[in-house]
Amino acid sequence: MKYTPEKPPLTGETLDTLTARLAEHGEPTFRAKQILDWVYKKRARSWDAMTNLPKNLRVWLDQTFTFMPSELVLNKESTDVTDKLLLRMGDGSLIETVVIRVPQEGVGIEGSRKTICISTQVGCAMACVFCASGLEGLKRDLSAGEIVSQLLQVCYREDERTPRAREELASFDNIVVMGMGEPLANYDALILALSIVNAPWGLGFGARRITISTSGLVPKILKLAEENLSFRLAISLHGATDEVRSQIMPVNKAFPLGKLIPAVRIFNERHGRMITLEFILIEDINDSIDQAIELRGIALDLHAHVNLIPYNTVDGLPWKRPSVERQEAFADVLRDADVSVTLRREKGHDIDAACGQLRLKTEKSIA
Ligand code: SAH
């Protein structure tokens, strides 16, 4: 499922593809670097801002490429530390990009570290029963250019608030691919986008500060293990036995724990970085002490960090978050065995930061 716009987005081009395209048009090779510098380093917002390009080249560029494939339609600031950007693509599809601020001691909110959560698909095909993103199925994959554009949109906004230090290109500290969609189901566009983000002529952003979160597409985890770029991996586990996991994540039927865990082990061996197991706590579904004990075993085996996330309620879905006492009792089982564990404090609940909820509401209200 793809959307092919009339003009491809500039943000989906690499130095090589842009050089080749310009060469076809009879332009010298240095132009590609000049153009990408305008986009990623100087943050030009239009072709006309690229003042060292001849006028006729700017006209040709405008006829050939879409400058920016997404448009900011809503900028929702929460009262806590999470902001949400709603973006509209060329075909009208809506996606969301989230800015999570992690306050640092001694500096104000503007000095906080920023993690950007990006989407890779419009909707999602994985059909996890607890998740708002999958409620209406998959509409389409995002292109590499659309994925990259989310980060530039964040940069535009952050640059206005806090002028970035000269030497840093990105206006944030970490990227998590945990927004709408299953990133590994849109593998090629994902890797192309992240290599543009990583490239010195792009945002120059370190692969080790990028975390890809997956519901567990085993063949793609193995493929990711072979990539030269060393991204961090997070697995949405949410069930520590096949019985519980299959109930809430249909993907577990195709790739049960007996396949998933060995694939993660291979990824670990290749990249040597601690992976994260995400575990949403849902009342009476996966929050029992038995599940905590099983999870402890998996985490110790994989030397993984465990991120416990109290469930965010979704309109129209029956699931609830357990009491704080129950959350703590679950976490204690892991802590007592010296598993590295975080019990995530809620961020962005007031702006519907749970996957897909803002988009769903906006689509309904503008429909
Ligand atoms: N498809 C990928 C990435 C997107 S989901 C994946 O499954 O990892 C990102 C994370 O948000 C996943 O761990 C997902 O399970 C979690 N999530 C989805 N709905 C949620 C909800 N209502 N409350 C808390 N976390 C949720």
Side-chain angles (χ1 to χ4, degrees), residues 44-349:
R45 304 282 288 266
S46 69
W47 301 111
D48 281 335
M50 302 184 177
T51 47
N52 59 358
L53 303 184
K55 175 81 182 143
N56 58 355
L57 175 57
R58 279 184 260 152
V59 170
W60 177 81
L61 285 166
D62 187 41
Q63 290 164 349
T64 310
F65 296 103
T66 301
F67 187 85
M68 176 54 63
S70 61
E71 179 199 355
L72 181 65
V73 288
L74 194 66
N75 185 352
K76 248 191 167 183
E77 301 198 15
S78 75
T79 50
D80 63 7
V81 290
T82 312
D83 299 341
K84 200 149 189 171
L85 275 59
L86 190 72
L87 303 176
R88 189 188 289 125
M89 303 295 130
D91 65 344
S93 294
L94 295 171
I95 61 154
E96 49 201 20
T97 306
V98 182
V99 181
I100 307 156
R101 291 169 210 284
V102 186
Q104 306 293 296
E105 288 229 13
V107 290
I109 189 85
E110 292 306 335
S112 54
R113 293 180 72 79
K114 293 166 207 110
T115 294
I116 312 305
C117 177
I118 58 171
S119 297
T120 50
Q121 296 182 311
V122 185
C124 186
M126 303 316 293
C128 301
V129 298
F130 47 80
C131 180
S133 290
L135 280 181
E136 292 175 6
L138 175 67
K139 186 167 169 202
R140 69 170 174 88
D141 287 337
L142 292 178
S143 68
E146 289 172 326
I147 297 173
V148 172
S149 84
Q150 296 173 60
L151 295 162
L152 271 180
Q153 295 280 9
V154 170
C155 286
Y156 294 162
R157 189 168 162 279
E158 293 301 316
D159 293 348
E160 281 163 19
R161 299 171 150 217
T162 359
R164 74 200 139 107
R166 286 197 91 146
E167 65 276 11
E168 57 182 45
L169 297 181
S171 308
F172 42 80
D173 306 283
N174 293 289
I175 298 173
V176 293
V177 190
M178 291 188 187
M180 207 193 318
E182 168 49 51
L184 297 188
N186 186 14
Y187 192 90
D188 292 345
L190 172 78
I191 299 299
L192 176 56
L194 295 182
S195 53
I196 292 171
V197 167
N198 174 256
W201 45 260
L203 276 180
F205 195 82
R208 286 180 167 260
R209 291 193 284 155
I210 302 176
T211 302
I212 300 173
S213 178
T214 178
S215 58
L217 298 181
V218 166
K220 297 293 167 60
I221 293 172
L222 295 172
K223 196 167 173 193
L224 191 65
E226 297 307 317
E227 295 286 341
N228 287 328
L229 289 174
S230 235
F231 303 113
R232 306 198 76 164
L233 182 66
I235 303 290
S236 289
L237 199 66
H238 310 327
T241 53
D242 281 328
E243 198 196 345
V244 170
R245 195 165 192 265
S246 291
Q247 254 177 42
I248 52 178
M249 298 180 72
V251 65
N252 196 64
K253 290 174 191 137
F255 305 113
L257 296 173
K259 290 190 174 146
L260 178 58
I261 291 166
V264 175
R265 204 176 286 129
I266 289 169
F267 186 92
N268 261 347
E269 280 160 14
R270 177 84 165 72
H271 292 280
R273 281 287 291 274
M274 195 181 232
I275 69 121
T276 298
L277 300 174
E278 310 272 353
F279 204 95
I280 310 179
L281 292 170
I282 312 175
E283 188 178 79
D284 293 336
I285 299 292
N286 63 359
D287 62 341
S288 69
I289 295 299
D290 284 351
Q291 280 288 298
I293 292 168
E294 296 287 344
L295 177 58
R296 178 180 70 191
I298 297 172
L300 288 171
D301 171 31
L302 293 174
H303 306 288
H305 173 79
V306 175
N307 197 5
L308 298 175
I309 312 155
Y311 183 65
N312 261 322
T313 47
V314 174
D315 278 353
L317 294 181
W319 321 103
K320 293 197 189 80
R321 65 169 51 178
S323 67
V324 172
E325 295 74 48
R326 220 167 144 90
Q327 294 171 26
E328 287 296 336
F330 193 101
D332 280 343
V333 173
L334 298 154
R335 291 183 188 124
D336 289 349
D338 287 332
V339 172
S340 159
V341 54
T342 40
L343 178 55
R344 228 196 255 171
R345 231 179 4 101
E346 198 174 351
K347 290 197 185 107
H349 204 59

